[in-house]
Amino acid sequence: MTEFIIRPARADELTAIGALISNSFDHLDADAYLVPVPADRERIMADFFTLETEYAFSHGKVEVIDHEDGGYAAAAVWYDRVAPLPEFPNYMERLTALAGDHLDRFGALGELFEKNHPTEQHWHLQFLAVRPSLQGHGLGGKLMKNVHDILDEQGLPAYLEATNENNVRLYRRYGYTDMDPFAILLPDGTPFYRMWRPVS
């Protein structure tokens, strides 16, 4: 059986990690809202996830579990929100270029998240992605625990926006609790679920 080892991502891997996240998330309703054209969705979302992962690489933590085929089995992307995040240089220019005709939809997503983000000091689990063929084998939990152990030592909570009820159940098993408000909605009604992992 393959031993899955967590390691920090390298700067030259961020584009490939964005592609993994896009492939892992391609079935999500939120992705379908952001890019309603199926033929364009995985490519545009990969560029978006790469953009976000680049920022986390500088202001948080990006960790991966390698796959024996040379790709990745799973990845976790965290933002350090203990202090206010600095401005992301050229973010809007790059988002505009990648989103094209769908920019308003990405803008709605950003506004929704910004309006509902907690103000307390915390770490933010932005993305937790597992290769579809390996989902359900505990890799996401392994990645979470790796950072949770550090946060527990430092007395810091964690936050995330879950994308569906299956993920909500997963995160509850790892100590996350429902926030109020719990469900926040994109303009088409697609929900995200706000969850908080208190200091243990």
Side-chain angles (χ1 to χ4, degrees):
M1 181 176 177
T2 301
E3 181 181 5
F4 293 107
I5 298 173
I6 296 171
R7 65 170 177 84
R10 302 186 311 269
D12 64 351
E13 296 179 296
L14 302 183
T15 298
I17 292 168
L20 167 73
I21 299 170
S22 182
N23 180 252
S24 300
F25 288 7
D26 194 51
H27 65 288
L28 296 178
D29 291 341
D31 284 33
Y33 166 77
L34 291 169
V35 185
V37 182
D40 296 339
R41 185 175 302 141
E42 193 166 339
R43 172 183 54 82
I44 292 174
M45 292 306 300
D47 290 343
F48 173 68
F49 293 133
T50 298
L51 180 64
E52 295 284 328
T53 300
E54 287 178 11
Y55 193 40
F57 186 79
S58 299
H59 302 287
K61 187 183 292 288
V62 181
E63 296 185 327
V64 297
I65 297 175
D66 291 312
H67 192 277
E68 59 190 10
D69 68 4
Y72 308 104
V77 176
W78 295 84
Y79 285 132
D80 178 352
R81 302 295 294 259
V82 174
L85 288 171
E87 184 177 346
F88 191 170
N90 303 318
Y91 180 83
M92 280 308 303
E93 291 88 342
R94 293 180 63 186
L95 181 63
T96 300
L98 72 88
D101 294 340
H102 312 302
L103 181 61
D104 288 348
R105 292 170 180 259
F106 283 89
L109 176 74
E111 290 175 12
L112 180 70
F113 283 172
E114 184 175 353
K115 176 182 176 182
N116 290 282
H117 202 95
T119 58
E120 298 93 333
Q121 294 182 332
H122 63 280
W123 274 63
H124 178 196
L125 179 54
Q126 180 80 342
F127 307 122
L128 181 66
V130 178
R131 185 183 291 209
S133 63
L134 295 173
Q135 291 175 6
H137 295 278
L139 298 184
K142 186 178 178 74
L143 281 164
M144 279 191 288
K145 185 178 185 304
N146 197 53
V147 172
H148 290 166
D149 288 348
I150 297 170
L151 298 183
D152 289 344
E153 290 177 4
Q154 298 177 351
L156 291 170
Y159 169 75
L160 58 82
E161 299 105 352
T163 51
N164 56 50
E165 293 181 1
N166 286 335
N167 288 340
V168 166
R169 286 191 288 271
L170 167 68
Y171 293 130
R172 284 174 180 157
R173 292 202 300 270
Y174 287 90
Y176 288 85
T177 59
D178 304 354
M179 297 182 73
D180 183 18
F182 182 40
I184 56 175
L185 307 178
L186 287 168
D188 71 340
T190 296
F192 289 91
Y193 301 99
R194 301 167 70 242
M195 304 191 75
W196 185 260
R197 184 179 184 271
V199 177
S200 61

